[in-house]
Structure formats: C-alpha cells, structure tokens
Amino acid sequence: MPKPGREPAPTKDLVTAYLKEVKTKVDACIFDFLPTTHKHQDVHQLYQMMLDYPRRAGKGLRPALCLLICEVFGGDAERAVNTAAALELLQNWLLIHDDIEDGSELRRGEPCLHQKHGIPMAINVGDALHCKMWEMLHQNTDILGHELAFQILSEFIQLSNQVVEGQHIELSWVHNNQWNLNENDYWTMCIQKTAWYTCITPCRVGAIIGGASVEETDVFIEIGKSLGVAFQIQDDVLNLIGDIGRYGKEIAGDISEGKRTLVLIHLFNSCTPSEAQNVIDIMARPRTEKTEAEVQSVLQLMQKYNSIQYAQECSNTLLKEAVEKFNQNFAHLPDSRAKHLFLSLIHFFVEREY
Amino acid sequence: MPKPGREPAPTKDLVTAYLKEVKTKVDACIFDFLPTTHKHQDVHQLYQMMLDYPRRAGKGLRPALCLLICEVFGGDAERAVNTAAALELLQNWLLIHDDIEDGSELRRGEPCLHQKHGIPMAINVGDALHCKMWEMLHQNTDILGHELAFQILSEFIQLSNQVVEGQHIELSWVHNNQWNLNENDYWTMCIQKTAWYTCITPCRVGAIIGGASVEETDVFIEIGKSLGVAFQIQDDVLNLIGDIGRYGKEIAGDISEGKRTLVLIHLFNSCTPSEAQNVIDIMARPRTEKTEAEVQSVLQLMQKYNSIQYAQECSNTLLKEAVEKFNQNFAHLPDSRAKHLFLSLIHFFVEREY
C-alpha cells in the first residue's frame, strides 16, 4: 500500500519500468563497447577489472535523465544512447578513484575495486575506463556528425573540470582536518562534485541532442544544481538510515569515513560546543580507529537534533524548486510521456529509500 | 672536448638548441592553457598542483618528435604545437599516477606529487590533467578543423588504450611477484607502456598534421617500437649508473622499486641460481625493507655479468634499426633540416647521459 502523501504506486511502477528499459539499452551499448577478451592473460585480467563496476547494478539515473530530456525536446532518444552510456562510464571511473581517495570499503554491495586488487591496479583501471569514456564520445561522430559530437565533447570537458574541482575541495577538507564549514561551503562542493555530473550535464547533453536552443539548454544549469544537491542529500541520508541490503554500502559509512555532509553541518550548528568537539574527535580519526559505538553515538546525536530530518526537508525544498523551474521554463513544450516521466523520476529519486 | 666516436659537438648543440626552442613554444601553449588562479582557495591550490609536474623540467622529447615529423612531411609545425602540448599533458598525468602506482619518491629532482600532498589528492590532480589533455585536443578543432582534430583524437584514444594495458602488465608482475620473465615479455610491456606514448603516437600525429599518407603514417608504428624501447632501455640504464643531479630520480631507484628491466632479465639469464634467488629476495621486498647495501649488491651483480652493457648494446641496435627503417621508407622525401634534426635527436636520446 502506498503511504499517504506519496506518489501513487502506478507512477512508481512506470518509473521503475522506464529505468529498466534505459538500463537494458545503455548496458547493451557499454558491454558491446568494452573489450572482454585478450590473448595476453594480464591484459585479459585488466578487461575483466574494467567490467567490474559497470557490471554492478547502478540505478541508471544519469542515462535516464539524458534520454528523457532529449525526448522532452522532441529528439530521438536512440541518438542519445551512446552519450548516455558515456555518462555511465564517467560514473564508473569516478567511483573507482573516489573509493580509493575516500578509503571506502563497499560499493554497490561488493568490496571496492582497490580492496579487491590493491590501489595501484585500481588507479589504472579507473584511468582505462576514463580513456574509454572519451573513446565512446569520439564514436558520437558516426551517430551525430562532427559538429554535434564536438559540442557533446565540450559538455563533458566542462563537466570534468567541475568534478575534479569539487573533488579537490572535499579532499582538502579531509587533508586540512577542516570542520568549520557552513552550508554555502557544502553547496559549492556538492554542486561541483555531484550536481554537474549527476544532473546538469546529463540534462544538457540530452537537450542538445534533442535540438534545444542554447537558452533552453542553459536552464538546466539551475535546475540541475537544485536537483543534483537534492539527490546527494538524499544519498547522504540513506547512508545514515538506509537498509544495507538495498543501499549497497556500509550503513553510516560516511561517519566512518569522516564525510562532511549537510546533516553533519546542521548537527554542528545545533549541538553544544562539547558535543561538537566530541563528534570532531570521532569523525577526524581514521576509520580503523573508530569503534562501532562511537559511530553510533554520532548517529544518535544527529537524530537527537533532527539533523537528518532537516536535510530531508532541504532535499524536498530543492526538488520543489527544480520542478517549478522546469514547469516555468518549459511550459511551451508539448505535454508528453517524457515530461511526465521526467517529473516522476526526479520525485522518485528524492523520495527513494534505497 | 667531444669523446671519440661520439656525434661531434655542433650536432649535439643543434639538438639542444632545437629542444629548447620546442620547449619554449610548447610551454607557452601549456601555461597559457592551464588555469592559474581561482577565488576559492582550495580550487586555487588544485590549480597550483596541476602546474607542478608541467613546471618541472622535462626534456621535451615527445613534442620535438611530433613537430619534426610534421616538418619532415612538409607540414607547418606551428599547426602541431597544440597537439605536442597535449602529448606533454599526457606525460604529466601518466607520471603522477605512475609514481603513485610504483611507490616512487623523486621525479625530476623533486619529491613526487603524492609524497608532497598524499595519494588521494595526487590521484585527483592526475585526473584533472588527464581531462585537460582531452580539452586541449578538443581545441584542435579551431586549428585543424573538425575532421583532422577527430583523427588526432583517434590517435590519442589508440595510444591511451595501449598505455593502460602496458601499465597493467607491469603492475601484474609486481602484484603476482612474478620474476620468470623473458625478453619477449619485456618487449610486449615496454612497447605498450612506453613506445606508443613516447614515439609511435608523437611521430604519427606529427605525420598526420604534416599531410603524410596512411601508409607513411603506419611506418611509424615499427620505427616507434624500436625507438621507444631503445629510449626506455637507456632510461633504465641511466637509472642505474646516472648522475642524480642531472637524472633527477634516486639512483638505482628501479632496484629499490623492484622494477623489471632488460638489465635485470639479462642478469637472471646470466647469473647462478643462488645469485638469482638472492636478487629476487632483495627485489621483491618493499623498498622500505631494503638496505642500501642490498641495492648495491644487485647493482654489482649487474656489473659483474655485463648486464648493463648488454642493455646498452640492445638499445644501440634498436636505434640502428629505427634509423634504417626511417631512411628506407622516407628516401623519397626531400632532404631537410627536420630530417637531419630528427636523426640527430634520436641519436642524442639513446646516447644521452642524463
């Protein structure tokens, strides 16, 4: 039974079915593209490692956004599948390197690549997938022609610059043991590190392939900022209160890793100075030097001060803003399955429980 | 005074002057392109880290090969400067990640990037420069037009696939503690890991921009294999017997790092089983668990069995083969400053002492 106030079940089913449909198409494109066998056994092993993260079940949010927005503008989504697949490759090489940089343990329910094969090989596998992303974008020439293919490349370049900067900001906080962060610090990092590659670029490249004007394409910068941050906050919340079987990472892993989230910033703004110092003492230590009880004590403080609830409210507000911007700016576009699905999809992702 | 049997000094001076000329042009292109300042202090710091390796003095072999081969085919080298700069960016991101993967300490006379800032940040800086490489290649559109720019991109994609495979082969040897390697194993790894990015692609992209035919461009695969391996062997030799002040890495660092070189393979083929076992015992240990005396004992065995001399002879033979292939295949091209300089340059690099 759907809970009161939620989307009715049929819409959720539509979204789930659509995500499945997109995943089938995009996976076919990726697994047709990535090499699988080589007569040199070490190279063969590299190929298997390159297939590891792409084979782990992701939700396929980014490709779905790309294909839907392409359709919203009346484009043929089939022409955007290759670009959507490149977005998945991007996600995979970023995650491999990100997991090393954060010292993470689990990714999508399995040990991280560097936990399985060591840091040196994992760095190189990430690089290999990174190269494959540009190769896949290069193949757009045959699908979209030189000019449009170059425009898409340009979008990925802009995105890459954003994401490495966002990543550096977050790594700096860890490196400098910096905890006195405000919400603005968080927005800046999160927009650069997450919103660009999760929402802004997927929507922009979909729009471009769909034939949107420059002005229409640019609207997705603002929409994507709100949406991307909303998704990230929801991800951070699920990290704290999710179900490990469905979420695929260790629960409260962000506390173990000392990750700066909106939840944590709210906690610092709400708790007593001595509680804050205690939290910092726990968060700042390497994960191996934290007990489960210490991690739980931080989680309990977050619950005591309603920090998780606060973050969820922010996430909902951002979603509402994104929907309003979308409706205001694209009222002139005809009602379509794609428009309806796009709005359902973004609700689904902010309200998801895994 | 030039040593007897060496190139006379004036030719060496010409090469040195040409390398300097190319470096000035390519550096101008790189430092004009890479961002330098940002109002966000963490992003500003990232930009400074991205400039670190490019600012350290490299010899500029790859750009020089690219520009010279462009000229050999009658092309305007100015049109190839941007591509030559991308080759340097490639070299820099590869080195940053390679230094982490190998656990290196020094690069071009300074601590490696990960020694200065930690592995997480260094991985990300490498990624940032990697992205900048594709951005620089994207800018070729304005210089070379869409079609040629895409062809150059294609060359970099082929190269990237080679280099990550070669890197994986070498990392596998370390990971599997594998020492029973023959010369063929070494050639395969070295061609993929080094020859492609050091010689094959620099020459091929120079040829393409210079207007060479497909057949002419393809000759550089064989020339570049011989040359690239010759350079790498010479680099391995200098690692063992070079002058730290001029070479810029710790001497015999390859022994500390347990690197499989042609010198080492020759040693295993020449020494007694008990000597070999002793060498493996030393080489296989992490660098922190090796004494200076142990490193020196391996070096002395290499000298005892003339393994260093053997490698130098191989390097000279490969150089000779490359020169013959070049002269045979390109006799139809007019004599030019570029042809002369190319031949002098490759001699210079195989015979260099730093």
Side-chain angles (χ1 to χ4, degrees), chain A residues 42 45 47 97 101 123-124 127 130-132 134-135 138 141 150 157 160-161 164-165 167-168 175, chain B residues 42 45 47 97 101 117 123-124 127 130-131 134-135 138 141 146 150 157 160-161 164-165 167-168:
Chain A
D42 293 330
Q45 188 201 38
Y47 291 174
H97 284 184
E101 293 162 18
I123 294 175
N124 191 55
D127 289 339
H130 187 174
C131 295
K132 284 289 171 194
W134 298 105
E135 182 174 345
H138 184 268
T141 330
F150 252 92
I157 287 164
S160 307
N161 287 331
V164 293
E165 292 182 8
Q167 182 71 351
H168 186 81
H175 195 262
Chain B
D42 293 329
Q45 187 201 39
Y47 290 174
H97 283 185
E101 292 162 19
H117 307 291
I123 295 175
N124 191 55
D127 290 338
H130 186 174
C131 295
W134 298 106
E135 183 173 345
H138 184 269
T141 330
H146 278 112
F150 252 92
I157 287 165
S160 307
N161 287 331
V164 293
E165 291 182 9
Q167 181 71 351
H168 185 81

Side-chain angles (χ1 to χ4, degrees), chain A residues 237 240 262-271 301-313:
Chain A
V237 165
L240 298 169
L262 188 66
V263 180
L264 187 72
I265 291 169
H266 180 271
L267 174 61
F268 284 144
N269 289 337
S270 316
C271 68
L301 274 181
M302 287 169 170
Q303 277 152 348
K304 173 180 165 189
Y305 287 105
N306 294 320
S307 301
I308 297 172
Q309 194 187 328
Y310 170 78
Q312 281 181 307
E313 283 160 12

Side-chain angles (χ1 to χ4, degrees), chain B residues 156-295:
Chain B
F156 272 75
I157 287 165
Q158 187 178 14
L159 152 66
S160 307
N161 287 331
Q162 293 287 341
V163 86
V164 293
E165 291 182 9
Q167 181 71 351
H168 185 81
I169 293 173
E170 197 178 29
L171 292 173
S172 297
W173 295 344
V174 176
H175 194 261
N176 305 328
N177 197 26
Q178 195 176 337
W179 298 97
N180 60 334
L181 301 166
N182 59 38
E183 291 197 358
N184 266 339
D185 296 324
Y186 179 79
W187 303 137
T188 303
M189 180 281 290
C190 192
I191 287 168
Q192 288 202 269
K193 178 175 164 156
T194 303
W196 272 91
Y197 97 91
T198 302
C199 296
I200 300 175
T201 302
C203 292
R204 282 179 63 88
V205 293
I208 290 167
I209 297 170
S213 68
V214 173
E215 291 72 24
E216 287 170 325
T217 304
D218 282 347
V219 173
F220 286 103
I221 296 178
E222 288 311 311
I223 293 176
K225 280 182 187 174
S226 303
L227 262 190
V229 176
F231 291 160
Q232 183 58 51
I233 293 173
Q234 179 61 7
D235 205 55
D236 294 342
V237 165
L238 288 174
N239 185 284
L240 298 168
I241 60 167
D243 165 14
I244 188 171
R246 304 176 80 190
Y247 181 61
K249 295 192 242 191
E250 72 260 68
I251 296 308
D254 286 351
I255 298 178
S256 305
E257 284 173 20
K259 194 171 165 190
R260 282 75 166 164
T261 63
L262 187 66
V263 180
L264 187 72
I265 290 168
H266 180 270
L267 175 60
F268 285 144
N269 290 337
S270 317
C271 68
T272 67
S274 81
E275 283 173 332
Q277 193 49 56
N278 202 25
V279 170
I280 290 173
D281 286 346
I282 295 169
M283 295 287 287
R285 255 180 278 143
R287 66 183 308 148
T288 47
E289 296 170 23
K290 286 174 205 179
T291 66
E292 184 53 31
E294 286 173 330
V295 171

Side-chain angles (χ1 to χ4, degrees), chain B residues 25 38 45 76 81 85 92 102 111 154 169 173 180-181 197 201 210 213 251 305 317 338 341:
Chain B
K25 269 186 211 169
H38 196 286
Q45 187 201 39
D76 174 5
V81 170
N92 283 299
D102 295 345
S154 205
I169 293 173
W173 295 344
N180 60 334
L181 301 166
Y197 97 91
T201 302
S213 68
I251 296 308
Y305 287 105
T317 306
L341 263 173

Side-chain angles (χ1 to χ4, degrees), chain B residues 79 82-83 136-145 149 152:
Chain B
R79 294 178 75 226
N82 193 69
T83 305
M136 187 151 247
L137 291 169
H138 184 269
Q139 292 194 352
N140 263 338
T141 330
D142 299 333
I143 304 161
L144 307 172
I152 302 296

Side-chain angles (χ1 to χ4, degrees), chain B residues 2-18:
Chain B
K3 296 185 196 159
R6 293 265 158 153
E7 290 286 318
T11 305
K12 196 182 157 190
D13 289 350
L14 276 178
V15 168
T16 312
Y18 181 71

Side-chain angles (χ1 to χ4, degrees), chain A residues 58-70:
Chain A
K59 287 174 283 293
L61 164 65
R62 294 162 192 83
L65 287 176
C66 169
L67 300 191
L68 281 175
I69 295 300
C70 177

Side-chain angles (χ1 to χ4, degrees), chain A residues 53-349:
Chain A
Y53 273 36
R55 274 181 182 150
R56 301 186 190 189
K59 287 174 283 293
L61 164 65
R62 294 162 192 83
L65 287 176
C66 169
L67 300 191
L68 281 175
I69 295 300
C70 177
E71 271 186 54
V72 163
F73 287 94
D76 173 6
E78 292 302 322
R79 294 177 76 227
V81 170
N82 194 68
T83 305
L87 288 166
E88 282 295 85
L89 290 180
L90 171 86
Q91 156 86 336
N92 283 298
W93 78 257
L94 282 175
L95 289 180
I96 292 172
H97 284 184
D98 201 58
D99 286 343
I100 302 170
E101 293 162 18
D102 295 346
S104 301
E105 293 187 345
L106 288 179
R107 170 64 64 189
R108 296 176 185 159
E110 279 184 60
C112 295
L113 202 71
H114 68 281
Q115 301 283 359
K116 288 164 88 172
H117 308 290
I119 289 175
M121 279 188 178
I123 294 175
N124 191 55
V125 173
D127 289 339
L129 282 175
H130 187 174
C131 295
K132 284 289 171 194
M133 176 189 86
W134 298 105
E135 182 174 345
M136 187 151 245
L137 291 169
H138 184 268
Q139 292 193 352
N140 263 340
T141 330
D142 299 333
I143 303 162
L144 306 173
H146 278 113
E147 207 162 318
L148 203 49
F150 252 92
Q151 216 181 323
I152 301 297
L153 268 178
S154 206
E155 292 293 322
F156 272 75
I157 287 164
Q158 186 178 13
L159 152 66
S160 307
N161 287 331
Q162 293 288 340
V163 85
V164 293
E165 292 182 8
Q167 182 71 351
H168 186 81
I169 293 174
E170 196 177 29
L171 291 172
S172 298
W173 294 344
V174 176
H175 195 262
N176 304 328
N177 196 25
Q178 196 176 336
W179 298 97
N180 60 335
L181 302 165
N182 59 38
E183 291 197 357
N184 266 338
D185 297 323
Y186 179 79
W187 304 137
T188 303
M189 181 282 290
C190 193
I191 287 167
Q192 288 203 268
K193 179 176 164 155
T194 304
W196 272 91
Y197 96 92
T198 303
C199 296
I200 299 175
T201 302
C203 292
R204 283 180 63 88
V205 292
I208 290 167
I209 297 171
S213 69
V214 173
E215 292 70 26
E216 285 169 327
T217 305
D218 283 348
V219 173
F220 287 103
I221 297 178
E222 289 310 311
I223 292 176
K225 280 182 186 174
S226 303
L227 263 189
V229 176
F231 292 159
Q232 183 58 51
I233 293 172
Q234 179 62 5
D235 205 55
D236 294 343
V237 165
L238 287 174
N239 184 285
L240 298 169
I241 60 166
D243 165 14
I244 188 170
R246 304 176 80 189
Y247 182 61
K249 295 192 241 191
E250 72 259 70
I251 295 310
D254 287 351
I255 297 177
S256 304
E257 285 172 20
K259 193 169 166 192
R260 282 74 167 164
T261 61
L262 188 66
V263 180
L264 187 72
I265 291 169
H266 180 271
L267 174 61
F268 284 144
N269 289 337
S270 316
C271 68
T272 68
S274 82
E275 282 172 330
Q277 193 50 55
N278 201 26
V279 169
I280 290 174
D281 287 345
I282 295 169
M283 296 287 286
R285 256 181 278 145
R287 64 183 309 149
T288 47
E289 295 170 23
K290 285 173 208 182
T291 65
E292 182 55 33
E294 285 173 332
V295 171
Q296 287 302 320
S297 74
V298 175
L299 194 54
Q300 276 158 19
L301 274 181
M302 287 169 170
Q303 277 152 348
K304 173 180 165 189
Y305 287 105
N306 294 320
S307 301
I308 297 172
Q309 194 187 328
Y310 170 78
Q312 281 181 307
E313 283 160 12
C314 281
S315 179
N316 285 324
T317 306
L318 286 164
L319 171 66
K320 222 173 276 170
E321 284 172 17
V323 170
E324 273 167 26
K325 277 177 220 152
F326 182 84
N327 286 333
Q328 274 164 18
N329 283 281
F330 302 122
H332 61 288
L333 295 175
D335 246 357
S336 63
R337 177 192 91 130
K339 244 183 167 181
H340 177 73
L341 263 173
F342 172 77
L343 292 170
S344 304
L345 181 83
I346 61 180
H347 275 95
F348 171 83
F349 268 89

